[in-house]
Amino acid sequence: MVENRLDVTFHALADPTRRGMIASLALGEKSIGELGEPFRMTFAGASKHVKVLEDAGLVSRRRVGRTHLIRIDAKPLEEAERWLRQWEKFWNVRLDRLEALIERDKQKENPND
């Protein structure tokens, strides 16, 4: 069910802290503590955000001893991008039409240009 996956993905990305964590993970794998550090949050707070990202499939974790290392999983982001691209095409067509109408109106106002 693609729509449900998109809902979960966009919900996870709706929070600026989680988007910051994703941006941080784009640079490489990090522990939960490292992910929470820039936001001055407790380990428990950071862990809750990571859980939301994990439930959305945006990150995965592996354990090394007692440390949980988190890494980004781009597949849900690719699906979200594909969904957004259809709207990019939609708006580009409409903006191209608007530009043509504006040009036509300019030509009517200033036929010598």
Side-chain angles (χ1 to χ4, degrees):
M1 180 178 259
V2 174
E3 288 298 320
N4 188 33
R5 283 183 65 117
L6 286 173
D7 290 347
V8 173
T9 299
F10 285 123
H11 168 75
L13 295 174
D15 184 275
T17 300
R18 292 192 288 268
R19 288 193 308 271
M21 289 178 166
I22 290 288
S24 177
L25 289 169
L27 302 174
E29 192 174 62
K30 299 215 176 351
S31 70
I32 292 175
E34 291 171 322
L35 286 172
E37 191 176 309
F39 304 101
R40 295 184 177 163
M41 63 175 48
T42 64
F43 180 87
S47 187
K48 286 180 182 179
H49 282 290
V50 168
K51 180 71 173 135
V52 172
L53 293 169
E54 195 172 29
D55 288 347
L58 292 164
V59 300
S60 61
R61 77 171 74 202
R62 68 183 180 96
R63 286 183 65 162
V64 177
R66 293 182 55 175
T67 303
H68 290 238
L69 295 174
I70 312 301
R71 74 176 63 172
I72 195 167
D73 182 352
K75 188 171 193 274
L77 292 174
E78 292 167 2
E79 291 171 359
E81 180 187 18
R82 248 189 328 274
W83 185 84
L84 289 168
R85 288 245 180 252
Q86 74 182 345
W87 295 107
E88 178 183 27
K89 292 174 187 172
F90 171 85
W91 284 109
N92 282 339
V93 167
R94 274 144 187 84
L95 290 172
D96 288 347
R97 286 182 191 162
L98 177 60
E99 183 180 31
L101 288 171
I102 291 169
E103 282 300 315
R104 189 186 72 198
D105 287 349
K106 279 183 185 177
Q107 290 299 322
K108 285 181 182 177
E109 289 175 9
N110 301 313
N112 295 331
D113 285 346

